[in-house]
């Protein structure tokens, strides 16, 4: 039996507003509906009443979306005022705000600084004009450069999202993006392969033959190139999609990957108490209406057994390059790794997909490339 988890020291707040919905995006958000901002603040204030009056002392606070920076400097100040004493980042907390490069004005930078934001995650996606058009983004490469040039001198840690396998993108194009990201001097890079989510404009265009997906071998080559180039430039590849300069790992995401509990607020936001993951209603307007009517605003409730939680811990652990330390896994989960998933580990090691030094199991690069196909062996 594992012990009860400690209270959350991390919180996520979902801000569901964007100027425009990018063609590939299926996130919880409303585009072009700034008329709903006041109602969102009212609903968020009500949801924050779930937090005991003493408030939550936080080591990490993450504002994601949607596009939190779309609220502008005044909106950001209003948001932190709403948190009040309920969400209280500690002195050395990591406080992240996701931003669209177009929103990073001097006013926004000043507000973020005043509010104790330490880290800005920039949805750049590419530094190539044609790729940004192909991705249906509303900004250009120079907007990304300008944003970084405002944020780095102001002392923020900057994370840049890059996308691979965009329509028409070549391997050489990905190489140029990676080199450009390194040249910008950002401390953290997240690299994601475009996924064709059901119900998105891109998926409809692909079905009609108007957009063509990159082949699997090109996708893999792009991913391997990202690892090679960023590692050569001094970034540590610390999770499947994430690269950081020494000391610049995202502490908030490490909470998720360590399976520590976290709180979450806003439409579609998922919280975890160590056993149960509860996801708020994914419809932005439905969430607002339900919260303000005093109704049940949860969408999915995923209550895991002790064993299911341990199996999930295996998956998130192996997505990290540090892998799984047997002793730490046992201490955290109450389960012996080999009793739980020994046969799967032995199969992966035999196939060259994982390494095992007796203390620690890690996926090899070959394993990382097919990692999504491995998890069925563990979660079944
Ligand atoms: S800016 Fe980000 S959250 Fe908003 S629509 Fe585009 S991809 Fe989705």
């Amino acid at each position: 039996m594992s012990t009860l988890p400690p209270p959350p020291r991390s919180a996520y707040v979902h801000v569901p507003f964007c100027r425009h919905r990018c063609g590939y995006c299926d996130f919880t958000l409303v585009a072009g509906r700034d008329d709903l901002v006041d109602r969102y603040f009212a609903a968020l204030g009500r949801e924050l009443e779930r937090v005991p009056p003493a408030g939550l002392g936080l080591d990490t606070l993450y504002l994601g979306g949607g596009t939190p920076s779309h609220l502008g400097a005044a909106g950001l100040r209003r948001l932190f005022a709403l948190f009040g004493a309920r969400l209280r980042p500690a002195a050395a907390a990591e406080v992240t705000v996701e931003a669209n490069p177009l929103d990073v004005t001097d006013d926004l930078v000043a507000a973020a600084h005043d509010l104790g934001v330490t880290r800005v995650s920039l949805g750049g996606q590419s530094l190539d004009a044609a790729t940004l058009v192909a991705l249906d983004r509303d900004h250009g490469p120079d907007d990304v450069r300008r944003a970084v040039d405002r944020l780095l001198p102001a002392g923020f840690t900057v994370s840049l999202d890059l996308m691979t396998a965009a329509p028409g993108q070549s391997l050489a194009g990905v190489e140029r993006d990676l080199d450009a990201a390194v040249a910008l001097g950002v401390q953290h890079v997240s690299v994601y392969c475009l996924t064709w989510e059901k119900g998105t404009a891109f998926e409809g265009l692909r079905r009609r033959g108007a957009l063509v997906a990159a082949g699997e071998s090109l996708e893999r080559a792009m991913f391997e190139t990202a690892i090679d180039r960023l590692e050569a430039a001094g970034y540590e590849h610390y999770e499947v999609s994430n690269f950081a300069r020494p000391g610049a790992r995202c502490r908030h995401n490490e909470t998720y990957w360590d399976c520590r509990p976290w709180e979450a607020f806003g439409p579609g936001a998922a919280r975890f108490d160590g056993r149960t993951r509860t996801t708020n209603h994914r419809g932005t307007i439905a969430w607002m209406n339900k919260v303000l009517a005093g109704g049940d605003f949860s969408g999915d409730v995923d209550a895991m057994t002790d064993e299911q939680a341990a199996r999930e811990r295996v998956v998130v652990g192996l997505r990290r390059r540090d892998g799984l330390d047997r002793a730490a896994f046992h201490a955290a989960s109450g389960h012996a790794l080999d009793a739980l998933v020994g046969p799967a580990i032995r199969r992966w090691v035999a196939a060259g997909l994982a390494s095992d030094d007796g203390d620690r199991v890690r996926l090899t690069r070959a394993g990382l490339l097919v990692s999504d196909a491995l998890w069925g062996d563990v979660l079944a």
Side-chain angles (χ1 to χ4, degrees), residues 18 20-22 24-25 27 29 65-67 100 137:
C18 288
H20 141 96
R21 184 182 281 272
C22 307
Y24 57 86
C25 180
F27 292 169
L29 62 92
T67 311
N100 180 310
R137 300 290 299 183

Side-chain angles (χ1 to χ4, degrees), residues 171 214-224:
L171 183 57
E216 207 175 298
S217 64
L218 180 58
E219 281 186 7
R220 284 191 188 189
M222 289 172 165
F223 181 52
E224 290 207 75

Side-chain angles (χ1 to χ4, degrees), residues 42-53 82 86 265 291 297:
L44 187 64
R46 286 286 288 279
E47 196 192 346
L48 284 166
E49 291 170 10
R50 291 197 293 105
V51 177
L82 192 69
R86 303 253 174 192
F265 306 89
V291 173
F297 52 87

